Amino acid sequence: MGRVDAGTVLYDIGAVAEAIQCPVRRLESWVEQQILEPVTEASGPGTRRKFDFATAVKAGILNELRWLFGPHFRPGEVGRYFAQLGPYSPEWRFFKDRQDRSRSGLIVLYRDPRLRTLAAAFTDSKRDALERIARHEALVVINIDEIATRVRTALGL
């Protein structure tokens, strides 16, 4: 379970599901699979899991991938990769609620042929993203800031 800093705004699972236009049950499934980690768990009947903004953005990215790849998309390897991203990973800064970013944060997902696994590059340089696409035959490129803006607007921030 994540740490909650004083002043951190938390959102219940229903609000996040509505913000990313995803069924609550799908988010619950991603929590059960340990793809998403709520900041606080439900503490009893009638209470709900709570997420911070960065985790809501991660959920938005997973839901965007599901939309892109169709209803049969299973997060699998992609989900495991995102599950590893947390406050202590260097990529976490791309998920923070930074409205002053001068350039868009991008994720380039691709298959690493050496490791035979999914790899991801986080960058705020379109040139770097294009070079990675050309070099690795990218699976998909995601603009984190676009998803974060949609989530921020839907949550009324």
Side-chain angles (χ1 to χ4, degrees):
M1 194 108 27
R3 233 181 59 214
V4 180
D5 295 325
T8 299
V9 178
L10 301 179
Y11 308 94
D12 74 31
I13 196 168
V16 173
E18 187 176 319
I20 67 169
Q21 300 176 347
C22 171
V24 171
R25 182 62 197 123
R26 184 166 300 122
L27 286 181
E28 289 171 343
S29 171
W30 290 342
V31 169
E32 291 162 5
Q33 295 173 53
Q34 298 179 336
I35 294 170
L36 292 177
E37 183 180 8
V39 175
T40 62
E41 275 291 346
S43 58
T47 62
R48 293 239 163 152
R49 294 175 167 120
K50 303 279 185 183
F51 296 96
D52 60 3
F53 181 77
T55 305
V57 172
K58 281 174 57 172
I61 291 168
L62 287 170
N63 198 53
E64 184 74 13
L65 287 170
R66 187 176 183 287
W67 184 85
L68 288 169
F69 294 128
H72 300 292
F73 169 71
R74 300 284 183 260
E77 196 173 341
V78 174
R80 282 191 297 277
Y81 181 83
F82 281 103
Q84 297 170 12
L85 300 175
Y88 304 107
S89 64
E91 300 89 356
W92 193 249
R93 67 185 176 90
F94 285 92
F95 293 99
K96 298 302 268 180
D97 186 8
R98 287 182 34 213
Q99 298 182 35
D100 61 341
R101 191 176 317 181
S102 60
R103 299 182 344 184
S104 293
L106 304 169
I107 305 172
V108 181
L109 295 170
Y110 58 92
R111 288 232 165 253
D112 185 330
R114 295 173 318 208
L115 301 176
R116 294 182 153 186
T117 188
L118 176 75
F122 287 73
T123 183
D124 56 7
S125 163
K126 288 180 183 173
R127 179 184 201 113
D128 180 45
L130 290 171
E131 287 173 3
R132 288 176 187 275
I133 291 166
R135 187 170 53 235
H136 296 290
E137 300 176 13
L139 173 64
V140 69
V141 177
I142 298 170
N143 185 329
I144 301 168
D145 292 316
E146 284 298 317
I147 293 172
T149 298
R150 283 194 309 233
V151 170
R152 186 180 298 111
T153 301
L155 291 173
L157 300 176

